[in-house]
Amino acid sequence: MRLFKEKCPRCNATLEVKNDSSSKTIIVKACPADHYEKEFHPALETYIETYKVS
């Protein structure tokens, strides 16, 4: 059971983890409808949030 689920601020869908083979340290979570993306950079200890306009 997951207590904390991150949601898309636009459509309220649960974010899914994108697996990218080019970078194993950066964690990317995205909305299934491609509205929103959130990246965690452990070296910088920061999040980068991207809102996509369609």
Side-chain angles (χ1 to χ4, degrees), residues 2-46:
R2 298 184 84 184
L3 296 175
F4 302 103
K5 291 184 180 179
E6 294 180 288
K7 303 265 184 177
C8 173
R10 186 168 172 197
C11 68
N12 210 24
T14 303
L15 299 181
E16 298 176 351
V17 176
K18 284 186 173 180
N19 293 328
D20 187 12
S21 61
S22 64
S23 177
K24 297 291 182 185
T25 58
I26 298 172
I27 301 168
V28 179
K29 295 181 181 180
C31 170
D34 208 28
H35 298 136
Y36 175 77
E37 188 173 272
K38 183 176 184 177
E39 298 178 21
F40 175 66
H41 295 265
L44 302 173
E45 295 181 2
T46 190

